Amino acid sequence: MKPDLPNTTVDVVVVGYGPTGMSLAALLGQQGLDVVVLERYQGLYNMPRAAAFDDETMRTFQKLGVAEKMLPGTNVQSGYVWVNGNDDVLLDIEFDNPGRCGWPAQYMMYQPHVETVLHELVESLPSVEVRRGSRVSRLDQDASGVTVTAVGPDGTDESVRGRYLVGCDGGNGFVREALGVGLDDYGFFENWLVCDFLLHHEVPCLPTFRQVCNPAEPIAIVNIGPRHHRFSFRLEAQTRRDEATQAEQVWARVAAYLTPDDADLVRTANYTFRSAIADRWRVGRALLAGDAAHQMPPFLAQGMVSGIRDARNLAWKLGMVLAGHPEDLLDSYQEERERHVRFITVKAIELGRVQTMRDVLEAKRRDASMIAARRANKKPDKLVYPALSGGLVSNGGDLFPQGLVSSPDRTALFDDIVGTGWLIVANGVPTLDAVPQGTRAAFAALGGREVAFGFASMFEPADLSDTGGVYGRWFASTGCVAAVVRPDSYVYGLARDPQELVALTKELLGQLAVTT
């Protein structure tokens, strides 16, 4: 049943109800945890901000059971093109389909659709309560929880207490400031005009994902889901906002691509892109996620994606701590995620500076170098994000791949057949039998399961066939016979032989203070 407010101490209070807060609330509610979400706005924002998400995000939506519902608000994007001011192609990047998580590597999205799907899911969860129009005004923390004071829709104070609190309330939100957490600012500031259009019909030759690297006026052109398109223009610092956002000015800027006969201008906004990362993501029983913990420019389309990664990393750890496992497990959250976020932030800044060069001579040199590379058939290197390290990672840290597999009953993606949670996945040899029964029982007590390709384990029959060939290639490339996989689908560790699997499993149980 929904938490009875304000008299109940709930498991987690979530402040902020954007994509990060929605995803976190859903992931916590899926575990049966009591959650209260406090959101200062009384309705969904209902305007697009983010433009894209990747296959890892879709895998999270798959876990939540809403992947198929997301599809009507998305377009699968096959590539990303850079051109210069003369429309010469500088770079042509192809996205994998499928990506390593079993879904297309790049989706362009209409964010209001994504948020509506997540909201409907959250509302269906019996242990999650969303409080709209509640503006948080105070946090009081002690050894057993956090008391949150908020001003309700009627202007009166209300109080909610949670064993933990997560601030998902954005870069200018209340929680980080209330916790006294500083920012590591990268000093990146750019002024951009963002213009969104609703198309009346298909517009021939309208780019779907293009960066116009014109030093006179850098432009990003992206589709943001079916029938929606976005143009973003880098502005000079002295440009007046009231002039730049005028409709006639916007139509003049897009005249080479769109006319009022083709589309309606539905939104203009002037944004300052910046990059900053919070010094601390955990203060006692309060944590930060999404833009509250890190802000990055949009050149890699990883802002919303990074927030949902935060939610996926944090949700199962909160669940384990609330179930009695060591509280310092929460310290692994920032330790694992910060390096990943900093890598993306630095790469996004580097990418943005290359794309938006304003010096004409520098831009000519950039163009000549990139055109020469294309003529030499040099394909651009694909960006590979670093593996997780430290925290609750042994010798793994990469995402465990998802491919098509077959059980005796059906053929589907791995997570749909096996599920998510703690897993030992073995590669077609009786590796599991080397693990002592007490250790296996302790692993099973975590909710852990044993999965094998080509044979059945003693604890849970799992006669899987590697239908898509993904796992045969993966095991061959890693040189392991088994892997321990975490509930967020990241690999805790790899075992090259049965003895290493025994040691790896015991190491994990020790870190989680589980006796065998």
Side-chain angles (χ1 to χ4, degrees):
M1 58 184 295
K2 299 283 185 183
D4 180 19
L5 294 178
N7 301 315
T8 302
T9 297
V10 298
D11 293 315
V12 182
V13 176
V14 176
V15 179
Y17 197 53
T20 300
M22 289 177 166
S23 299
L24 179 61
L27 289 163
L28 294 170
Q30 199 177 56
Q31 299 175 65
L33 299 175
D34 289 332
V35 180
V36 170
V37 183
L38 300 176
E39 168 55 49
R40 61 177 176 163
Y41 295 113
Q42 297 208 34
L44 296 179
Y45 184 68
N46 208 33
M47 284 289 182
R49 284 92 71 207
F53 63 83
D54 62 11
D55 54 322
E56 184 180 355
T57 303
M58 187 58 110
R59 192 174 186 178
T60 298
F61 294 153
Q62 177 190 357
K63 174 180 172 55
L64 291 171
V66 294
E68 298 297 328
K69 291 182 179 180
M70 291 297 178
L71 295 178
T74 66
N75 291 323
V76 174
Q77 186 64 37
S78 60
Y80 179 29
V81 176
W82 295 17
V83 299
N84 63 13
N86 297 321
D87 210 32
D88 301 316
V89 176
L90 305 178
L91 193 68
D92 190 351
I93 299 170
E94 294 181 8
F95 295 124
D96 293 335
N97 187 2
R100 60 182 173 173
C101 286
W103 298 88
Q106 187 79 358
Y107 289 89
M108 313 308 289
M109 68 166 186
Y110 185 58
Q111 187 171 339
H113 174 83
V114 171
E115 291 187 356
T116 296
V117 171
L118 288 173
H119 170 65
E120 290 174 351
L121 170 63
V122 170
E123 287 286 284
S124 73
L125 296 170
S127 65
V128 181
E129 177 84 13
V130 180
R131 307 273 293 191
R132 295 181 177 282
S134 294
R135 180 174 55 84
V136 176
S137 58
R138 179 171 173 174
L139 305 178
D140 294 290
Q141 183 171 182
D142 56 39
S144 61
V146 184
T147 300
V148 185
T149 302
V151 180
D154 60 358
T156 61
D157 285 351
E158 59 185 28
S159 180
V160 181
R161 183 168 174 80
R163 294 171 66 185
Y164 292 93
L165 174 141
V166 184
C168 304
D169 51 343
N172 298 315
F174 176 85
V175 174
R176 187 184 67 238
E177 183 176 346
L179 295 175
V181 172
L183 286 173
D184 180 9
D185 200 312
Y186 281 74
F188 181 86
F189 297 91
E190 285 190 354
N191 191 27
W192 283 77
L193 176 68
V194 177
C195 312
D196 291 342
F197 297 85
L198 175 62
L199 302 181
H200 299 158
H201 49 251
E202 185 176 341
V203 180
C205 302
L206 181 63
T208 60
F209 198 7
R210 176 171 295 193
Q211 187 71 38
V212 182
C213 305
N214 184 352
E217 185 177 56
I219 309 171
I221 308 171
V222 301
N223 79 88
I224 50 173
R227 296 187 61 209
H228 290 84
H229 235 76
R230 172 173 293 167
F231 288 75
S232 300
F233 303 89
R234 184 179 168 186
L235 302 177
E236 298 295 343
Q238 67 273 17
T239 302
R240 290 181 51 183
R241 180 184 181 280
D242 58 343
E243 291 181 356
T245 56
Q246 291 177 1
E248 59 269 24
Q249 295 277 359
V250 172
W251 283 113
R253 290 179 183 276
V254 303
Y257 303 95
L258 282 179
T259 72
D261 291 334
D262 298 318
D264 292 329
L265 174 61
V266 294
R267 185 179 77 120
T268 59
N270 188 204
Y271 284 112
T272 298
F273 296 159
R274 65 175 303 195
S275 299
I277 296 176
D279 298 334
R280 292 177 294 163
W281 299 14
R282 179 191 176 200
V283 179
R285 288 178 172 262
L287 301 105
L288 302 173
D291 285 356
H294 43 75
Q295 301 165 59
M296 61 188 69
F299 302 111
L300 283 172
Q302 287 285 304
M304 186 192 82
V305 168
S306 294
I308 292 176
R309 285 197 192 103
D310 292 346
R312 186 77 188 268
N313 185 290
L314 189 54
W316 66 269
K317 293 176 180 177
L318 281 166
M320 295 198 73
V321 170
L322 288 163
H325 294 282
E327 190 176 59
D328 60 10
L329 177 59
L330 297 178
D331 291 331
S332 70
Y333 163 57
Q334 180 176 358
E335 188 176 0
E336 293 173 1
R337 291 286 302 126
E338 183 178 4
R339 177 170 173 259
H340 200 270
V341 165
R342 286 190 181 275
F343 174 87
I344 292 171
T345 301
V346 169
K347 288 296 182 184
I349 292 172
E350 291 175 356
L351 195 66
R353 286 177 173 155
V354 173
Q355 290 175 342
T356 62
M357 285 179 182
R358 306 308 289 269
D359 184 282
V360 174
L361 292 179
E362 279 191 45
K364 283 184 177 180
R365 287 192 287 268
R366 173 202 63 197
D367 296 354
S369 174
M370 297 180 77
I371 290 171
R374 277 183 54 78
R375 287 174 176 167
N377 293 319
K378 292 182 180 178
K379 290 191 175 182
D381 294 331
K382 291 189 177 179
L383 191 61
V384 178
Y385 299 135
L388 302 184
S389 60
L392 197 65
V393 175
S394 181
N395 64 349
D398 282 317
L399 270 167
F400 187 67
Q402 178 171 225
L404 204 62
V405 298
S406 298
S407 71
D409 301 322
R410 60 180 178 139
T411 297
L413 289 171
F414 181 90
D415 292 359
D416 286 337
I417 288 184
V418 177
T420 55
W422 286 104
L423 300 173
I424 296 176
V425 184
N427 185 28
V429 293
T431 306
L432 297 173
D433 293 336
V435 182
Q437 291 300 318
T439 302
R440 296 173 76 175
F443 185 75
L446 290 175
R449 282 158 295 149
E450 302 169 353
V451 181
F453 285 97
F455 76 101
S457 78
M458 292 174 59
F459 273 33
E460 183 177 352
D463 188 11
L464 288 183
S465 298
D466 183 16
T467 307
V470 167
Y471 297 99
R473 293 189 294 271
W474 184 81
F475 277 111
S477 68
T478 59
C480 69
V481 299
V484 177
V485 182
R486 310 188 327 173
D488 55 6
S489 299
Y490 279 83
V491 176
Y492 170 78
L494 304 170
R496 292 171 296 180
D497 55 46
Q499 290 69 40
E500 282 195 356
L501 178 59
V502 174
L504 193 65
T505 309
K506 289 183 175 179
E507 179 187 359
L508 169 66
L509 296 173
Q511 287 184 279
L512 297 177
V514 176
T515 56
T516 61

